Amino acid sequence: MLVDDQAVVRAGFRFLLEQADDIEVVAEASNGPAAVELARRHHPDVVCMDVRMPGGDGLAATREIVARGSDTAVLVVTTFDLDEYVFGALEAGASGFILKDCEPEELIDAVRRLADGHGLIDQAVTRRVITEFARRTAPPRSAADEAAAAAQLTAREAEIVRQLARGLSNAEIAQELVVETSTVKSHLGRAMAKVGTRDRLQTVVWAYQNGLVPG
């Protein structure tokens, strides 16, 4: 589903995305409240969400869509690369963030990755954004708290989460640890279930917040 207050932007995104055989645009909205209603009605796998829109912003809509507990992943697509917009998107529960001036192939790849349960932050947005977000949102934690968080995971699961936080793909993690890619996927899935995260991006944030990765 496409959400943007500019019809020409939605038309352009629709044209680009529907060039891919495995992507179908099922709905369009021009503001946040309409996006929430259409997401409830159509259950899209991915919502491409603008941030600033008259009649209801995208971050509030993202928060409501995620709060409903659906499997819909939200990809925030915006012209703004300011940290505060990224912080807002992460806080609202978005699974990805990409800039509107990205290449067409990047947008298509981003939609596919979110549909597959992966998180994404535009390469123009550096690692410091996640570390700063985690620092701002994490409650005060002692060494004992961090140890308890790490104890939720097996040693292998924790190591895979750390590698994920480095920005490695499943295949790259598998190569690093000399295991099969399917093994990485299984361990990561169990780790996410244990800590209650919905995708890779939120898992990385959890890792920073709980001391698995030094900030």
Side-chain angles (χ1 to χ4, degrees):
M1 184 172 77
L2 304 176
V3 185
D4 196 290
D5 61 305
Q6 298 183 33
V8 67
V9 172
R10 298 198 307 273
F13 281 0
R14 176 184 283 271
F15 175 79
L16 290 175
L17 291 171
E18 291 191 335
Q19 300 304 301
D21 294 338
D22 55 343
I23 298 176
E24 177 188 4
V25 177
V26 297
E28 295 183 20
S30 60
N31 58 60
V36 172
E37 174 58 26
L38 288 173
R40 184 193 63 78
R41 189 184 310 167
H42 293 279
H43 305 288
D45 296 310
V46 179
V47 175
C48 294
M49 181 79 74
D50 192 16
V51 174
R52 300 204 311 195
M53 296 175 288
D57 72 87
L59 298 186
T62 296
R63 188 173 293 106
E64 188 167 350
I65 290 171
V66 171
R68 289 185 175 185
S70 72
D71 293 329
T72 297
V74 178
L75 174 67
V76 172
V77 188
T78 179
T79 56
F80 305 99
D81 61 353
L82 299 176
D83 287 358
E84 291 303 326
Y85 287 103
V86 184
F87 294 152
L90 291 171
E91 187 177 30
S95 297
F97 180 97
I98 197 168
L99 302 180
K100 285 184 179 178
D101 61 0
C102 68
E103 295 297 323
E105 295 78 12
E106 292 179 277
L107 178 62
I108 292 171
D109 179 64
V111 169
R112 285 174 173 154
R113 289 185 63 176
L114 264 67
D116 288 338
H118 299 168
L120 175 79
I121 288 187
D122 191 281
Q123 290 183 354
V125 182
T126 63
R127 172 177 168 176
R128 68 181 168 75
V129 171
I130 292 181
T131 58
E132 175 64 13
F133 174 77
R135 185 191 67 79
R136 289 189 183 193
T137 57
R141 303 184 71 84
S142 65
D145 292 330
E146 292 182 354
Q152 296 180 66
L153 308 178
T154 66
R156 178 61 89 184
E157 289 166 354
E159 179 59 25
I160 287 174
V161 169
R162 292 189 187 97
Q163 298 293 341
L164 181 69
R166 290 177 53 202
L168 301 186
S169 67
N170 284 1
E172 290 168 335
I173 295 173
Q175 185 175 16
E176 184 88 5
L177 301 181
V178 196
V179 296
E180 296 293 330
T181 302
S182 59
T183 301
V184 173
K185 186 176 181 179
S186 296
H187 281 304
L188 183 56
R190 284 194 290 270
M192 290 167 60
K194 288 178 180 180
V195 304
T197 53
R198 55 182 279 152
D199 56 44
R200 297 164 71 92
L201 178 56
Q202 299 299 323
T203 305
V204 170
V205 171
W206 179 89
Y208 276 101
Q209 289 177 327
N210 290 276
L212 265 71
V213 182

